[in-house]
Amino acid sequence: MARVSKPKIKKELIAADLRQKIRSRKLPPGTQLPSAQELAAQYKVCMMTANQALDMLAAEALIVRQRGRGNFVQKNVLHGRKMLLGIADMVERSDNYARNILLDVFPEAAIECFKAENCDCRIIPYRDFREHNMETFHDLDGLLLSHSYLDDTTRDFIQNLKMPIVIYRAEYEMDYPWPQVIPDHSVAMNRLFTLAEQDRIPGILIFSHDHVNGRARCRAFEHYAKMHHFTDEQIRSIVFSPLEFYQKVMEQLPEISGKLLITCSGLITCELIQICSGNGLVCGKDYLLVSYDNLSKNFPMPPSIPGVTSIDYSRTSAGKTAAKLLIQNVRNPNAISYQTIKFLTKLIIRESAFANRKELVQL
């Protein structure tokens, strides 16, 4: 027996008609819809039916109803639904509070921005890129991509995705044809090495984790030190894996006194100070210390750790800017801009280095 479809009731017909107009952009985002009274007259229904149709669209997040102002098509609506954006990044809270501050703030800021802009988002694990799982991506409108997801296994697959992509969380400009959001090291590092040059610092030791962002920061420190007339003989970079750090610091102990020490991650700063202290070297007196990452702002340092002079930039702003750039490119695919947006870094002077020069360098 043939199955008879249930005829749509009037509120569904009105909602379907308005939904189609939103989908075809005859009613573009921000457009004010007719009032319930006007819809009732237009479709020859009662006010209650017109209001129910509007409520259906509001429940789908296609329109927003504002008491006293009217009904408006929601921003960032595509194909009759909210924009759906992927975040290729890890959001994984750990017991390491400092790590959460430095790493999770990027995707958390992006997710907050997507929600504020009426967009749905989906966290995409690395394995879906590694396994080339195209089904995960078929309904996405755009992708916010952490630099760490780009490697020899995933590169070709990602380049073949037919959607707008924005790269973030990298510390250097990557050789890909997508917009990128990265820090601009020049301002803070120029200020730092201007002070080091004026104070005739005899040598610089740079401690860096052996990963791409750590190495990028290390290269930037080396570059700007040389711009300020420090020689290869005066600059030593110590790159290490997580298990090698203590050993690497101990190997450098005879060279530390009187030098400028730079850590390329705030996660190792406290440990470095404690190792030196345990061997009779006082931070800010026997050596100067500058850390990348302003952990002193949010992280309670142990009483034995002085306020740390730091280079930093706003990760929250960077995450939100990357998210807004992606939304803009999805909304206007024919006007995609492939620019690199750089966030200014700043030098925050504290007790561990150049404290007597603070008034000269604060931004």
Side-chain angles (χ1 to χ4, degrees):
M1 180 177 176
R3 184 176 177 180
V4 179
S5 59
K6 183 179 179 181
K8 289 186 177 180
I9 58 179
K10 290 181 178 179
K11 67 177 181 181
E12 293 173 340
L13 291 170
I14 297 170
D17 188 35
L18 293 173
R19 190 183 297 110
Q20 190 278 328
K21 290 177 180 177
I22 293 171
R23 180 182 294 117
S24 65
R25 298 185 72 84
K26 289 180 181 178
L27 293 172
T31 300
Q32 183 168 7
L33 296 175
S35 66
Q37 184 176 6
E38 291 167 332
L39 288 174
Q42 178 182 342
Y43 290 96
K44 298 180 173 54
V45 296
C46 66
M47 280 271 290
M48 183 178 71
T49 300
N51 268 312
Q52 288 173 339
L54 291 170
D55 286 341
M56 289 175 64
L57 297 176
E60 297 170 22
L62 296 180
I63 70 170
V64 57
R65 307 199 68 182
Q66 298 179 357
R67 185 180 297 275
R69 291 195 61 214
N71 309 298
F72 299 86
V73 179
Q74 276 273 28
K75 55 188 176 181
N76 300 322
V77 170
L78 292 176
H79 316 302
R81 59 169 174 75
K82 291 198 289 184
M83 190 182 292
L84 176 59
L85 304 170
I87 301 181
D89 205 348
M90 289 188 296
V91 186
E92 184 178 339
R93 306 301 288 183
S94 75
D95 294 333
N96 188 328
Y97 179 62
R99 176 204 170 279
N100 295 337
I101 291 173
L102 296 178
L103 300 182
D104 288 346
V105 68
F106 285 101
E108 287 175 352
I111 291 169
E112 180 183 337
C113 178
F114 287 151
K115 289 180 178 179
E117 293 291 326
N118 189 46
C119 299
D120 286 331
C121 61
R122 177 187 299 158
I123 304 295
I124 303 177
Y126 172 78
R127 67 174 178 273
D128 284 338
F129 292 89
R130 184 187 63 230
E131 297 170 2
H132 301 179
N133 185 5
M134 186 59 76
E135 185 177 348
T136 300
F137 303 89
H138 81 278
D139 56 348
L140 291 183
D141 298 305
L143 181 65
L144 184 60
L145 179 67
S146 169
H147 74 102
S148 62
Y149 278 52
L150 280 160
D151 57 33
D152 292 340
T153 304
T154 65
R155 185 179 298 112
D156 291 343
F157 174 74
I158 293 172
Q159 288 181 314
N160 287 324
L161 292 174
K162 305 301 182 185
M163 65 181 70
I165 293 174
V166 172
I167 299 176
Y168 81 148
R169 286 189 59 173
E171 295 282 336
Y172 59 100
E173 191 164 3
M174 304 183 76
D175 188 21
Y176 291 102
W178 302 308
Q180 303 178 39
V181 177
I182 61 175
D184 180 354
H185 296 124
S186 62
V187 174
M189 291 191 183
N190 271 320
R191 289 174 181 249
L192 167 63
F193 290 113
T194 294
L195 295 178
E197 185 180 18
Q198 290 173 354
D199 282 11
R200 301 182 184 276
I201 297 297
I204 299 168
L205 299 178
I206 304 171
F207 293 87
S208 171
H209 282 114
D210 189 14
H211 58 66
V212 288
N213 275 350
R215 292 192 297 271
R217 292 175 178 180
C218 187
R219 290 194 300 270
F221 279 119
E222 292 171 350
H223 171 74
Y224 288 103
K226 291 175 183 177
M227 284 183 60
H228 288 268
H229 308 107
F230 288 93
T231 65
D232 288 332
E233 290 73 26
Q234 292 176 294
I235 304 167
R236 182 178 301 171
S237 296
I238 301 96
V239 180
F240 54 88
S241 66
L243 297 178
E244 296 177 318
F245 181 60
Y246 179 83
Q247 175 189 342
K248 293 290 186 180
V249 176
M250 292 300 294
E251 290 173 358
Q252 302 303 320
L253 275 178
E255 306 295 327
I256 284 177
S257 185
K259 302 286 179 63
L260 169 62
L261 276 55
I262 297 172
T263 60
C264 290
S265 170
L267 296 176
I268 61 174
T269 299
C270 289
E271 188 178 353
L272 174 61
I273 295 173
Q274 290 169 336
I275 294 172
C276 291
S277 176
N279 287 273
L281 296 172
V282 179
C283 182
K285 178 182 176 184
D286 297 311
Y287 64 93
L288 303 180
L289 176 67
V290 174
S291 170
Y292 203 110
D293 304 321
N294 182 22
L295 279 179
S296 295
K297 178 180 179 182
N298 301 299
F299 187 64
M301 296 291 187
S304 59
I305 305 297
V308 179
T309 294
S310 306
I311 287 177
D312 201 20
Y313 68 101
S314 173
R315 292 160 176 79
T316 298
S317 296
K320 289 184 176 181
T321 296
K324 289 180 179 179
L325 181 58
L326 179 61
I327 292 170
Q328 173 187 315
N329 289 346
V330 173
R331 190 188 295 143
N332 301 298
N334 295 325
I336 291 179
S337 174
Y338 292 97
Q339 83 275 25
T340 295
I341 297 177
K342 293 188 176 183
F343 268 77
L344 289 181
T345 52
K346 57 183 176 181
L347 180 65
I348 303 101
I349 300 294
R350 298 194 179 95
E351 289 81 1
S352 71
F354 307 113
N356 61 331
R357 314 294 291 280
K358 185 173 182 178
E359 72 282 357
L360 300 179
V361 295
Q362 286 291 69
L363 292 174

